C-alpha cells in the first residue's frame, strides 16, 4: 500500500485504562493492516514494546502542546483518551486538525473522550434525580452549564465541527468497570484498573470500613471495559466510512452505558466484601464524614446522580454484552486485586 492509502491514527492516553483498551481493539480490527498508528507515551522504556506490536511512538505528554498540534496535523483520525478536562491539550489537538484542513482541505476526524460526569448534580447521596439525559436530545445536553465537569472541553470540540475543519465525535463513558484483559495489559503497557470503583474500595481499606455518601440514594450508569472498547470501535468504524454514517458535531455525543446502579447498594456490597475479608469492621457501609469526602474524593461527587441513556450508538449497531449484574460480579476480583497490591 502507498502511504496515502493508510488511515493515519494518532492516539493519546494509550497506556491508560481506556486508551490501552481502545488501542488493543484497533490492533485487532479487521482493517488493522490499513492503519498507521502513532501513540504519544511518557515512557521511552515502553517504546520498543509498542513498536513490536506495530505502533509508532512519540515521547511526551498532554502538556507538550506543540507535539500534540504537530501529531494531530498529520493524522486522519485522532483518538483522545488522556484527560477529559484538559482544555489546553484539546485546543492543541484542534489547532493541528485546523492546520491540516487549511493546508490540504481534508476534514480529519476527532474521537474525544468525555464522560457522563458532565451530567452530575449536587445530590450528596440524598436523593435519586428524575432527570435522565438521552444522547439524542441535543438541546438538553446543550443546556448543561459550562461549569459542569468536562463541559468546557466538549464545547470546544463541537465548535471545531461547526467551523468545518474537523468531524468530531464525543464518547461519554459512565462508570467503567472490570479489570482490563488486553494485549497491552499482558505486555505490561497498560493500566488495567478503572478509577471510580477502585477508589471506593481503596477508601474503605484506608478507613477500615466500607463507606457511603449520604443516604446512598443517587444512581449512575455503568459500562464494562470490553463494551467501552466496542463503543469506540463502533463509532470509529462509522466515522471512517463517511460523514453521513452517524451523527457528529452537535449531534456527535455518544453515551456509554448499559444499565444503572444504586451507588448506595454498590457501597454496601463493597462494605460486605471488605468485612468478609477481615478488612472492614462492619458489613454495613457507614456514612463518610465531610472531612473524609474531602480527603479521599475531593468533595461529594460520589454522591451525585448521573443518569444517561446511550441511544445514539445503539442506532449504529453497538450492542453491549454486559449489564449491571456483571458490575456486581466484578467486585470481588477488584477488591482482591487491590488488597493483593497493598499487601505485596
Amino acid at each position: 500500500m502507498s502511504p496515502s492509502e493508510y488511515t493515519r491514527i494518532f492516539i493519546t492516553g494509550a497506556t491508560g485504562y481506556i486508551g490501552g483498551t481502545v488501542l488493543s481493539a484497533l490492533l485487532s480490527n479487521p482493517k488493522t493492516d490499513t492503519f498507521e498508528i502513532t501513540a504519544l507515551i511518557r515512557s521511552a522504556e515502553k517504546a520498543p514494546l509498542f513498536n513490536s506490536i506495530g505502533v509508532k511512538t512519540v515521547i511526551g505528554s498532554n502538556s507538550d502542546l506543540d507535539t500534540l498540534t504537530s501529531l494531530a496535523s498529520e493524522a486522519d483520525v485522532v483518538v483522545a483518551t488522556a484527560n477529559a478536562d484538559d482544555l489546553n491539550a484539546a485546543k492543541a489537538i484542534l489547532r493541528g486538525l485546523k492546520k491540516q484542513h487549511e493546508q490540504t482541505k481534508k476534514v480529519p476526524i476527532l474521537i474525544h473522550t468525555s464522560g457522563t460526569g458532565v451530567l452530575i448534580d449536587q445530590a450528596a447521596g440524598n436523593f435519586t434525580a428524575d432527570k435522565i439525559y438521552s444522547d439524542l436530545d441535543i438541546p438538553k445536553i446543550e443546556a448543561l452549564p459550562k461549569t459542569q465537569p468536562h463541559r468546557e472541553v466538549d464545547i470546544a470540540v463541537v465548535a471545531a465541527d461547526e467551523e468545518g475543519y474537523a468531524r468530531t465525535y464525543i464518547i461519554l463513558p459512565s462508570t467503567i468497570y472490570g479489570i482490563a484483559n488486553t494485549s497491552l495489559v499482558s505486555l505490561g503497557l497498560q493500566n488495567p484498573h478503572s478509577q471510580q470503583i477502585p477508589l471506593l474500595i481503596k477508601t474503605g481499606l484506608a478507613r477500615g470500613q466500607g463507606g457511603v455518601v449520604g443516604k446512598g440514594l443517587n444512581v449512575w450508569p455503568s459500562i464494562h471495559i470490553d463494551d467501552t472498547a466496542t463503543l469506540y470501535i463502533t463509532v470509529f468504524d462509522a466515522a471512517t466510512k463517511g460523514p453521513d454514517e452517524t451523527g457528529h458535531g452537535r449531534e456527535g455525543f455518544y453515551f456509554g452505558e448499559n444499565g444503572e446502579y444504586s451507588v448506595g447498594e454498590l457501597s454496601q456490597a463493597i462494605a460486605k466484601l471488605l468485612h468478609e475479608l477481615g478488612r472492614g469492621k462492619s458489613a454495613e457501609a457507614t456514612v463518610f464524614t465531610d472531612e473524609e469526602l474531602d480527603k479521599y474524593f475531593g468533595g461529594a461527587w460520589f454522591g451525585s446522580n448521573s443518569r444517561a441513556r446511550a441511544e445514539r450508538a445503539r442506532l449504529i449497531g453497538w450492542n453491549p454484552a454486559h449489564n449491571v449484574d456483571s458490575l456486581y460480579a466484578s467486585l470481588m476480583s477488584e477488591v482482591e486485586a487491590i488488597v493483593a497490591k497493598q499487601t505485596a
Side-chain angles (χ1 to χ4, degrees):
M1 289 176 63
S2 67
S4 62
E5 293 177 282
Y6 283 97
T7 301
R8 299 167 301 168
I9 301 168
F10 167 46
I11 184 167
T12 66
T15 60
Y17 180 61
I18 297 175
T21 302
V22 173
L23 178 53
S24 292
L26 287 169
L27 291 170
S28 62
N29 188 289
K31 293 183 178 179
T32 193
D33 289 345
T34 68
F35 299 160
E36 184 182 281
I37 304 176
T38 301
L40 182 67
I41 63 170
R42 286 191 179 92
S43 170
E45 293 175 3
K46 291 183 177 181
L49 276 173
F50 273 104
N51 298 159
S52 74
I53 57 174
V55 177
K56 296 181 177 181
T57 54
V58 174
I59 309 305
S61 71
N62 251 27
S63 59
D64 296 313
L65 302 183
D66 290 343
T67 302
L68 288 173
T69 297
S70 175
L71 291 169
S73 73
E74 298 170 351
D76 300 305
V77 183
V78 175
V79 183
T81 72
N83 183 340
D85 294 303
D86 194 333
L87 183 60
N88 288 332
K91 285 182 174 179
I93 288 169
L94 293 173
R95 283 195 297 273
L97 298 177
K98 189 172 188 177
K99 178 183 176 184
Q100 180 185 165
H101 177 68
E102 289 170 350
Q103 292 177 346
T104 68
K105 303 305 177 194
K106 291 180 180 178
V107 183
I109 292 165
L110 171 60
I111 299 174
H112 173 75
T113 304
S114 178
T116 66
V118 73
L119 309 176
I120 63 171
D121 59 16
Q122 305 299 318
N126 293 321
F127 62 85
T128 304
D130 295 327
K131 185 178 284 190
I132 301 174
Y133 291 81
S134 163
D135 50 14
L136 296 175
D137 189 343
I138 301 307
K140 200 168 184 177
I141 293 172
E142 290 182 335
L144 289 165
K146 191 185 281 191
T147 51
Q148 288 290 98
H150 320 325
R151 184 65 186 142
E152 195 171 9
V153 180
D154 292 355
I155 290 169
V157 169
V158 171
D161 192 289
E162 293 289 290
E163 289 181 42
Y165 65 82
R167 264 196 289 131
T168 65
Y169 304 80
I170 299 177
I171 296 182
L172 304 92
S174 51
T175 297
I176 313 178
Y177 65 90
I179 298 172
N181 181 22
T182 69
S183 57
L184 268 72
V185 170
S186 63
L187 288 169
L189 294 174
Q190 176 194 345
N191 164 36
H193 297 286
S194 184
Q195 294 181 356
Q196 275 177 279
I197 291 172
L199 178 58
L200 198 56
I201 294 166
K202 289 173 185 174
T203 301
L205 288 167
R207 69 198 289 267
Q209 172 63 52
V212 63
V213 182
K215 297 176 181 177
L217 296 175
N218 55 307
V219 294
W220 265 71
S222 63
I223 179 172
H224 191 278
I225 185 60
D226 293 346
D227 290 329
T228 306
T230 61
L231 173 58
Y232 277 82
I233 296 303
T234 300
V235 173
F236 173 89
D237 286 344
T240 51
K241 277 181 185 174
D244 300 324
E245 291 294 319
T246 189
H248 55 90
R250 286 186 65 237
E251 297 183 352
F253 287 84
Y254 296 82
F255 290 144
E257 61 80 28
N258 195 31
E260 292 181 324
Y261 66 95
S262 156
V263 180
E265 289 177 11
L266 176 77
S267 301
Q268 293 292 355
I270 290 172
K272 185 170 181 285
L273 289 173
L274 292 177
H275 179 67
E276 289 172 359
L277 291 172
R279 302 300 293 267
K281 300 182 190 75
S282 167
E284 293 294 317
T286 59
V287 178
F288 292 119
T289 65
D290 290 344
E291 290 77 16
E292 286 177 322
L293 289 175
D294 288 338
K295 177 180 177 181
Y296 296 113
F297 304 103
W301 61 268
F302 227 117
S304 66
N305 290 282
S306 171
R307 307 196 67 185
R309 298 290 182 267
E311 299 185 291
R312 189 175 294 277
R314 286 181 168 90
L315 292 177
I316 56 170
W318 181 57
N319 186 25
H322 304 270
N323 59 24
V324 175
D325 290 341
S326 300
L327 166 64
Y328 285 99
S330 75
L331 292 179
M332 180 56 92
S333 60
E334 291 278 9
V335 171
E336 289 176 341
I338 292 167
V339 169
K341 196 169 186 180
Q342 291 189 357
T343 55

